[in-house]
Amino acid sequence: MKITDYISVTIKKVFRKKSYVFSIFLIALSILVISLTDSLINSINIYFNNAAENNLSFRTLFVYDNSSRETSEVINELSSYEHVISVVQEKSFVTSTIINDEIKGNLDGQIMLYGINNDLLNSLVDGKKFDADSNYTKEIICPITFYPNSVVQYFKDETNNIIDGSNLLNKKLNLYFRNIDINEEYEVIGLYDSLYSSENICYTSFDNVLRLNNLDKTLIENHQYIVFVDKQENIQDLQLKLLDNNYYSNISGKKNNTSINKIASYGVTISIFTLIFAILIILFSDIKAIEEKRSYYANLKVLGYNNKNLLCFIIIENLLIFIFGFILSLILFIISLNIIKHAFRSILFLKKTPIIVNYKFFLILFIILLIISLLVGLCSGIKIKNINIIKSIKE
Amino acid sequence: MSCIEIKNVTKIYSKNNVHALNNISAKFEMNKFYVINGKSGSGKSTLIQILGILDKINNGDILINNKSVIEMNEQQISKLRMEKIGFIFQSFYLDNCLKAYENVMLPMLINKKINKSERKAKAIELLKQLGLEDRINHYPSELSGGEQQRVAIARALANNPDIILADEPTGNLDPENENIVLNILKNLSKNGKCIIMVTHSQSAINYADKVFFMEKGVLKDENN
Ligand SMILES: Nc1ncnc2c1ncn2[C@@H]1O[C@H](COP(=O)(O)OP(=O)(O)OP(=O)(O)O)[C@@H](O)[C@H]1O
Ligand SMILES: [Mg+2]
């Protein structure tokens, strides 16, 4: 008997019998859950990484120079390091409080105003740019989300009270600089992705902040510089190199990974359970099939089929059910991805991150389940070897 | 020449220590229609199963075409069954997921002597011979009992076996269909096959070339 014969008979049976179709659906469904979970977790991870990458505060180093050299000399030297995109002196930030009540809402009002180079500033936001030539401007870029308390971390407790920064776009913030006792109005001209921020940081032009700091007579010169790094992954390298040259540095913001790890661990748990579920389905549908079809197999033996023929039938049936289930899961996967994309278009991370399809994962899943269904088929085939034809045919 | 012969066969069901067949011997020849008659529980089905090597015996010998099957392995027995023996049962045991002609094709799949291209035509030809030309593409659930039994007969004939073993093939049929099936079997025997049919129905006796009586595991000739 040829393989094609086994396949053609089995295909006929598989599509004409409800219980087979049901098994195919269950297998497809569980593979779908596993693969969807995997790609959503991947996407979320990538989104969070991108978000952190976009957030300048995670690429900001405070560097201390204890050589007491000229400011411009140090800035030049620091700028020459690889991966450094911009260096400003410590005077580049100032604390202030928002005082327009209608905007403040639930906020404690504290914001950090960072002065950075206009080019860098422009790289942070889409939309309206700072005028690269103007160095005196009262325009600022704000985070998409303001945290109620300036030291609250994302995903912790007060997520409900987060202020949507997009309401502030094109509005004027009335800022109070406590140290110098001055009020100034700033127009919010852009927003940046502020996920993970532990402080409410706004950016404005460096010269603007310098002007404010120069008004503060209490400020002591302390040889601290702010270094902006091109990529998060390069920070550690840079820190080591700086240390070699006697610069001590601190990173400004640190990513809080616990919530992501939590999501990832949920995902892994879901995946493992569904995988076990899928395996159980394969096992169960097979055992059930053998029990149900003992009489069918006995009948085949009556017709002259030998144990090897039956083993082939069982294995091919298993494989086909699994393969059809797998193909169906791929189709369902693609459909559900599109549904998710369209239905949840407004969700932040789907807007910015394409859902990642991990084909390697599919391949691994395919191989694991293939081996399992082969093994299961083999076991059932061996089991069927010893059936009592007469007893079984009457079942 | 006998196509199937049993010598001093004893079958004991160890579970309840029933001597279903008690030291029986018989020869069956081609071209003949044998009917084995007997009361319920007399061992008729057991005999059919033993003749078809579906079960093991405790004692004696079974010869098919003068070759003993006792020492054969599973593969050899399966091949013998595929080539030489067709079974018909009271229940038809058709595959409900396969159409009539596909059911008939099922035994041909393991027969290397039948080309793939011939199978379907052959199955349809068999169904036609049994008066089922309009039922070729029907599923078993769409057929009457008599029609299903005829499909089962066509399937039993698929590999053109010498011997047809039938266990109460008309047990589920009305008198009209019973006659149709008996006529088919009779014709088959006329065309050279060895038909061995067990039944407790008396009407089948009229068709038989030779009648045996089964009583408490002992096979008796119509003469004694
Ligand atoms: N698998 C079995 N295990 C134990 N005893 C069995 C088994 N099969 C049959 N028997 C016994 O063997 C004896 C013969 O059974 P068999 O089925 O051959 O009778 P039968 O002549 O075909 O009866 P019927 O006309 O009712 O079909 C009976 O007493 C039956 O109880
Ligand atoms: Mg019986």
Side-chain angles (χ1 to χ4, degrees):
Chain A
M1 191 173 180
K2 289 205 182 96
I3 287 248
T4 48
D5 293 328
Y6 288 112
I7 292 175
S8 71
V9 172
T10 310
I11 284 183
K12 276 173 198 154
K13 290 183 67 89
V14 162
F15 284 109
R16 289 173 190 172
K17 200 160 178 179
K18 271 187 207 141
S19 64
Y20 284 124
V21 177
F22 188 63
S23 301
I24 290 175
F25 258 99
L26 279 182
I27 288 171
L29 221 61
S30 32
I31 295 173
L32 178 72
V33 171
I34 297 169
S35 46
L36 268 186
T37 318
D38 175 70
S39 47
L40 285 181
I41 285 171
N42 275 340
S43 304
I44 288 172
N45 256 327
I46 287 172
Y47 166 68
F48 276 92
N49 275 330
N50 283 347
E53 197 69 59
N54 287 338
N55 191 336
L56 195 60
S57 71
F58 294 115
R59 293 187 275 133
T60 303
L61 276 181
F62 292 105
V63 179
Y64 305 90
D65 168 53
N66 36 25
S67 67
S68 313
R69 283 177 296 166
E70 278 286 309
T71 307
S72 59
E73 199 183 319
V74 177
I75 286 181
N76 274 341
E77 197 198 319
L78 287 176
S79 301
S80 69
Y81 278 81
E82 207 188 338
H83 304 306
V84 171
I85 50 173
S86 182
V87 183
V88 286
Q89 71 187 105
E90 177 260 5
K91 280 180 177 172
S92 62
F93 66 95
V94 59
T95 335
S96 67
T97 312
I98 304 173
I99 51 175
N100 11 1
D101 280 341
E102 79 275 15
I103 289 170
K104 225 173 100 178
N106 295 323
L107 300 179
D108 65 356
Q110 291 283 338
I111 62 167
M112 285 287 265
L113 200 57
Y114 267 69
I116 56 178
N117 300 347
N118 286 357
D119 283 344
L120 191 55
L121 208 51
N122 284 336
S123 74
L124 289 180
V125 281
D126 308 320
K128 189 180 169 186
K129 305 286 187 201
F130 279 90
D131 186 349
D133 297 327
S134 93
N135 50 9
Y136 179 79
T137 169
K138 286 187 180 163
E139 294 173 328
I140 58 172
I141 293 172
C142 289
I144 284 177
T145 43
F146 278 98
Y147 298 92
N149 184 312
S150 42
V151 288
V152 158
Q153 308 243 327
Y154 195 55
F155 276 123
K156 268 199 176 158
D157 32 12
E158 296 188 62
T159 37
N160 292 338
N161 296 329
I162 285 175
I163 298 261
D164 187 354
S166 56
N167 296 331
L168 302 181
L169 200 58
N170 299 324
K171 285 197 177 131
K172 290 237 159 68
L173 287 189
N174 192 353
L175 297 182
Y176 172 65
F177 301 94
R178 201 182 306 114
N179 290 0
I180 45 178
D181 194 23
I182 286 179
N183 274 355
E184 282 182 355
E185 281 211 326
Y186 283 78
E187 191 187 348
V188 181
I189 60 140
L191 300 169
Y192 72 95
D193 202 340
S194 60
L195 202 76
Y196 283 129
S197 276
S198 48
E199 299 159 309
N200 295 323
I201 296 175
C202 297
Y203 294 100
T204 184
S205 80
F206 177 70
D207 296 312
N208 201 14
V209 175
L210 196 63
R211 176 184 56 85
L212 290 165
N213 275 327
N214 284 339
L215 297 174
D216 187 354
K217 302 295 174 221
T218 64
L219 220 58
I220 311 157
E221 196 83 22
N222 65 359
H223 308 291
Q224 188 175 320
Y225 298 85
I226 296 180
V227 169
F228 299 104
V229 186
D230 58 354
K231 283 204 171 100
Q232 276 186 85
E233 62 194 42
N234 297 325
I235 287 179
Q236 235 176 1
D237 257 6
L238 182 64
Q239 277 190 296
L240 287 175
K241 272 187 205 150
L242 287 171
L243 198 61
D244 283 345
N245 294 312
N246 276 331
Y247 290 110
Y248 293 94
S249 58
N250 267 338
I251 187 156
S252 157
K254 249 217 150 67
K255 192 162 71 174
N256 173 11
N257 267 334
T258 50
S259 45
I260 301 167
N261 293 342
K262 218 161 151 188
I263 294 173
S265 69
Y266 286 149
V268 170
T269 318
I270 291 171
S271 292
I272 289 174
F273 274 106
T274 342
L275 185 67
I276 292 171
F277 182 63
I279 293 169
L280 286 180
I281 289 167
I282 293 174
L283 277 174
F284 180 73
S285 65
D286 208 78
I287 291 166
K288 205 183 78 190
I290 296 287
E291 294 301 321
E292 262 181 7
K293 294 188 314 189
R294 244 220 289 271
S295 84
Y296 170 69
Y297 290 124
N299 190 38
L300 286 179
K301 288 206 89 165
V302 169
L303 297 179
Y305 281 73
N306 61 30
N307 287 335
K308 238 157 89 190
N309 297 135
L310 296 189
L311 179 69
C312 285
F313 252 130
I314 292 168
I315 286 179
I316 284 178
E317 190 177 292
N318 271 4
L319 285 186
L320 282 182
I321 287 178
F322 161 67
I323 288 169
F324 285 133
F326 200 86
I327 293 171
L328 183 65
S329 79
L330 277 178
I331 296 168
L332 289 178
F333 179 75
I334 291 164
I335 294 173
S336 20
L337 273 195
N338 281 311
I339 291 175
I340 289 172
K341 270 182 202 162
H342 282 93
F344 303 104
R345 222 195 317 240
S346 58
I347 291 180
L348 197 67
F349 92 87
L350 284 174
K351 232 182 341 191
K352 291 205 169 180
T353 321
I355 294 180
I356 311 302
V357 183
N358 188 349
Y359 290 103
K360 215 158 138 197
F361 180 78
F362 266 107
L363 193 72
I364 292 169
L365 203 60
F366 182 82
I367 291 169
I368 290 176
L369 292 177
L370 187 77
I371 291 170
I372 287 170
S373 65
L374 261 176
L375 284 179
V376 171
L378 215 63
C379 292
S380 328
I382 289 165
K383 223 174 118 191
I384 213 86
K385 230 174 136 171
N386 301 320
I387 56 166
N388 180 327
I389 301 177
I390 297 145
K391 233 180 179 171
S392 307
I393 201 169
K394 288 179 187 157
E395 279 172 5
Chain B
M1 195 187 94
S2 66
C3 58
I4 187 163
E5 184 179 353
I6 47 174
K7 286 183 183 166
N8 307 323
V9 166
T10 298
K11 171 71 188 174
I12 304 163
Y13 288 111
S14 54
K15 197 173 170 185
N16 43 10
N17 205 25
V18 170
H19 286 58
L21 300 179
N22 218 333
N23 194 25
I24 60 173
S25 302
K27 277 184 184 181
F28 302 92
E29 285 167 16
M30 305 281 281
N31 239 318
K32 288 235 161 77
F33 188 178
Y34 298 92
V35 170
I36 300 168
N37 211 261
K39 279 191 211 156
S40 179
S42 57
K44 303 185 298 294
S45 294
T46 307
L47 177 61
I48 281 287
Q49 289 150 13
I50 294 301
L51 287 171
I53 339 167
L54 293 176
D55 208 352
K56 292 211 162 69
I57 54 175
N58 300 77
N59 213 343
D61 202 357
I62 305 164
L63 301 156
I64 292 180
N65 289 344
N66 292 324
K67 254 190 244 158
S68 172
V69 301
I70 301 299
E71 296 294 314
M72 286 186 180
N73 65 23
E74 191 266 343
Q75 219 157 328
Q76 290 168 317
I77 290 172
S78 294
K79 186 154 183 273
L80 193 68
R81 218 182 274 137
M82 180 266 283
E83 286 176 339
K84 301 277 182 233
I85 304 169
F87 286 90
I88 307 166
F89 296 99
Q90 179 173 1
S91 310
F92 322 117
Y93 302 126
L94 295 174
D95 189 331
N96 286 321
C97 299
L98 298 178
K99 293 172 180 172
Y101 80 90
E102 291 167 342
N103 264 294
V104 178
M105 278 167 68
L106 213 46
M108 299 183 196
L109 302 180
I110 44 169
N111 189 350
K112 287 188 185 118
K113 286 176 190 149
I114 302 178
N115 277 337
K116 196 173 178 174
S117 51
E118 294 170 40
R119 287 179 201 150
K120 190 171 176 182
K122 238 182 147 171
I124 291 171
E125 179 56 34
L126 279 168
L127 289 170
K128 274 183 186 162
Q129 282 171 18
L130 299 178
L132 291 170
E133 52 273 0
D134 302 332
R135 300 286 183 273
I136 287 160
N137 280 309
H138 284 56
Y139 288 99
S141 58
E142 300 162 348
L143 298 173
S144 75
E147 288 164 341
Q148 287 188 53
Q149 190 59 295
R150 276 185 276 160
V151 174
I153 293 173
R155 186 182 59 183
L157 294 169
N159 288 327
N160 197 20
D162 296 339
I163 306 154
I164 298 285
L165 302 174
D167 189 350
E168 307 269 8
T170 59
N172 281 344
L173 306 180
D174 61 7
E176 197 189 327
N177 276 300
E178 182 178 9
N179 280 328
I180 293 173
V181 168
L182 288 173
N183 274 316
I184 290 168
L185 294 177
K186 180 74 191 170
N187 277 331
L188 286 169
S189 72
K190 276 184 191 160
N191 290 330
K193 302 218 182 293
C194 167
I195 313 288
I196 305 169
M197 174 176 137
V198 305
T199 179
H200 54 243
S201 130
Q202 296 294 321
S203 54
I205 291 173
N206 303 326
Y207 289 81
D209 296 319
K210 183 163 184 169
V211 180
F212 289 100
F213 290 98
M214 195 85 189
E215 209 182 317
K216 290 182 183 163
V218 180
L219 195 64
K220 288 176 184 169
D221 229 279
E222 56 194 332
N223 307 324
N224 47 28

